[in-house]
Amino acid sequence: MKNIFADRMQATRKSFIREILKVTQQPEVISFAGGLPNPGLFPVEEIMSAASKVLSEEGRSVLQYSTTEGYLPLREFIAQRYLKKSGLNIDPDEILITNGSQQSLDLIGKVFLNKGDRVVMEKPGYLGAIQAFSIFEAEFEAVPLLEDGIDAGSLDRILDGNSAKLFYTVSTFQNPSGITYSAQKRKDVAAILKKHNVICVEDNAYGELRFAGEDLPTIRNYSDYTILMGSFSKIIAPGLRMGWICARKEIMEKLIVAKQAADLHSNYLSQRIIHQYLLDNDLDGHIAKIKDAYGKRRDLMVSMMAEHFPESVRYTKPEGGMFLWVTLPEGVSSLELFELAIEENVAFVPGDPFYTDDNSGSNTLRLNFSNSDNEQIEEGIKRLAVCLERLMGNVRRANAQHGP
Ligand code: PMP
């Protein structure tokens, strides 16, 4: 049969995580797989009263079409928060409200990427960005992540050899690794990108969720040649689908055209509910509760892994966010571990889909700690440890028989 689909669909993979989530939704499965915020912390009552207020007081206007840029008082709130939290001076006109930061990635792709354009990604990198940019038939260049952020020397060398349109980073509590760039690394990255004239896309979806250590400036603080992305998904609720892009005016003009063509504007009722919620509640107080809960879960997961995992298994100890990253000894496959774990009703995401090249990361995996309770973390990590012992024992026996 003739191929009826656009070329761009050939280049784009189905999200492996969405597929896994289907398997892991059975109630008996302890899932560290999804990237879900904890629903126990959603401000349901507060959202209910914000919704009731905007609908009862301004029902006719909040159900009407609205502007592409987004509700101005909401953009003003975001701009003021940048000033207060990061010392960034952002004009509300440099902010575009989007349908979650996943749409921000799509719009950025539309505005910048021609077929074959190069995008530098982190290795491992955020799967949703790999997918969003693949739609525009981008070529990826992946630069390894070190403990303090991207390998800057490698980034510089890659850009020396061949320029790129964009560098995409989740610089704070990265998805999937939990890694955070040091202040020096942020400064170095800004300088390298400036030197090569490459735009930085800084996705700060998790930046507010710091439960240990000190806040750091964004890369945007070091270079306004940065497109900064934010989202209410992890600090209020993802179902409202509300994020934003913060970019200089000449970029914003193009983004607004792309947004108009995509959906006219983001859900106006959602924008008004969020804004009312922000007026009537203490966002910092709410975020403090989330950070406290996630910090405790991370501590428990890390201490359970220290107690039960074989010593040769390494993992990150993130100071915020929702994920940590596990590296198994060389030659031990996280896909094989996944198969064993699923039999024991435990799920995680094998590292492979977070890599844009085919042969790396087969011994890595991502664990989410935000969406499990203490009992699930304790039991899930114990079961994983048993699977690991079994798998690593098998690998040792195979090596002993056939040589490594
Ligand atoms: N960026 C990153 C790094 C993410 O982890 C996610 C959610 N998993 C998103 C963007 C998308 O979030 P949303 O569209 O809900 O804002």
Side-chain angles (χ1 to χ4, degrees):
M1 197 179 82
K2 204 170 91 200
N3 181 15
I4 55 170
F5 299 109
D7 293 345
R8 69 179 71 89
M9 295 315 296
Q10 314 252 351
T12 310
R13 290 186 284 182
K14 231 197 241 177
S15 163
F16 189 63
I17 296 189
R18 302 263 149 234
E19 294 302 298
I20 285 188
L21 286 181
K22 284 185 212 159
V23 186
T24 60
Q25 260 160 4
Q26 284 95 324
E28 65 277 14
V29 174
I30 298 177
S31 178
F32 304 131
L36 306 183
N38 196 308
L41 293 154
F42 293 158
V44 179
E45 297 289 323
E46 292 85 346
I47 292 290
M48 208 154 78
S49 69
S52 149
K53 201 159 170 180
V54 293
L55 281 167
S56 60
E57 290 174 10
E58 292 180 72
R60 310 239 158 243
S61 75
V62 299
L63 294 174
Q64 186 54 282
Y65 281 118
S66 184
T67 56
T68 302
E69 291 82 346
Y71 184 50
L72 181 60
L74 183 60
R75 289 186 286 125
E76 285 169 344
F77 177 94
I78 294 166
Q80 278 159 20
R81 196 166 170 85
Y82 273 134
L83 188 61
K84 193 170 92 185
K85 296 274 166 190
S86 313
L88 284 172
N89 224 326
I90 309 258
D91 188 315
D93 285 342
E94 294 171 326
I95 295 172
L96 171 67
I97 303 291
T98 59
N99 190 33
S101 46
Q102 195 61 33
Q103 186 189 37
S104 306
L105 292 169
D106 182 58
L107 297 178
I108 290 166
K110 262 186 194 146
V111 163
F112 287 100
L113 298 178
N114 290 319
K115 179 176 180 176
D117 277 349
R118 285 154 51 91
V119 178
V120 180
M121 302 287 296
E122 293 159 332
K123 180 178 168 173
Y126 171 49
L127 190 59
I130 298 173
Q131 196 184 37
F133 296 147
S134 292
I135 287 270
F136 302 100
E137 300 174 89
E139 300 286 334
F140 294 110
E141 193 71 64
V143 178
L145 273 178
L146 309 175
E147 263 173 41
D148 65 344
I150 199 103
D151 180 345
S154 183
L155 176 66
D156 198 21
R157 274 192 302 282
I158 278 175
L159 293 176
D160 264 341
N162 208 335
S163 194
K165 273 269 175 77
L166 304 172
F167 167 61
Y168 171 79
T169 172
V170 185
S171 53
T172 308
F173 318 135
Q174 198 236 15
N175 181 1
S177 69
I179 283 173
T180 291
Y181 287 41
S182 66
Q184 186 59 44
K185 193 54 75 78
R186 288 161 197 257
K187 211 186 268 180
D188 293 348
V189 165
I192 292 167
L193 295 177
K194 222 175 221 168
K195 177 175 117 189
H196 294 283
N197 229 355
V198 174
I199 294 178
C200 180
V201 177
E202 185 177 23
D203 181 346
N204 203 16
Y206 300 95
E208 296 244 25
L209 299 185
R210 177 180 284 284
F211 41 72
E214 297 289 314
D215 277 334
L216 293 167
T218 62
I219 296 176
R220 173 69 177 71
N221 286 76
Y222 298 108
S223 163
D224 67 359
Y225 212 54
T226 304
I227 299 174
L228 185 55
M229 294 168 42
S231 174
F232 289 113
S233 288
K234 313 298 189 300
I235 54 174
I236 301 182
L240 291 160
R241 306 307 302 128
M242 204 105 302
W244 62 90
I245 311 178
C246 184
R248 293 194 324 208
K249 292 221 167 68
E250 69 272 20
I251 295 176
M252 192 50 71
E253 279 169 21
K254 302 289 184 211
L255 288 168
I256 288 170
V257 174
K259 171 85 180 159
Q260 267 165 4
D263 62 359
L264 306 181
H265 62 76
S266 292
N267 183 323
Y268 187 49
L269 178 59
S270 252
Q271 295 184 60
R272 295 298 304 267
I273 292 171
I274 286 194
H275 183 252
Q276 193 63 50
Y277 166 84
L278 294 168
L279 286 181
D280 296 344
N281 295 277
D282 168 20
L283 180 61
D284 285 329
H286 177 62
I287 294 175
K289 281 189 226 154
I290 302 176
K291 292 195 291 196
D292 181 56
Y294 291 4
K296 287 183 175 138
R297 286 170 166 83
R298 186 218 65 158
D299 289 348
L300 179 62
M301 191 174 264
V302 165
S303 70
M304 288 301 292
M305 293 197 303
E307 191 178 335
H308 296 281
F309 277 10
E311 257 180 42
S312 53
V313 173
R314 289 177 292 121
Y315 38 85
T316 57
K317 299 175 188 69
E319 295 187 327
M322 306 189 338
F323 305 105
L324 57 80
W325 188 247
V326 179
T327 305
L328 308 176
E330 211 54 55
V332 180
S333 156
S334 60
L335 265 175
E336 284 174 25
L337 181 67
F338 180 77
E339 278 161 26
L340 292 180
I342 279 294
E343 281 169 26
E344 301 299 324
N345 285 331
V346 189
F348 58 83
V349 186
D352 182 65
F354 300 103
Y355 290 83
T356 48
D357 45 358
D358 282 338
N359 333 308
S360 10
S362 61
N363 61 329
T364 59
L365 58 110
R366 187 188 77 176
L367 296 178
N368 166 270
F369 51 79
S370 59
N371 193 31
S372 304
D373 61 28
N374 289 354
E375 224 171 284
Q376 288 167 324
I377 291 176
E378 283 174 10
E379 181 57 27
I381 294 294
K382 277 189 204 157
R383 286 188 209 168
L384 264 186
V386 172
C387 296
L388 265 172
E389 293 285 358
R390 247 168 72 202
L391 181 63
M392 287 168 63
N394 291 347
V395 172
R396 269 195 303 275
R397 274 189 294 282
N399 284 347
Q401 272 171 13
H402 309 295

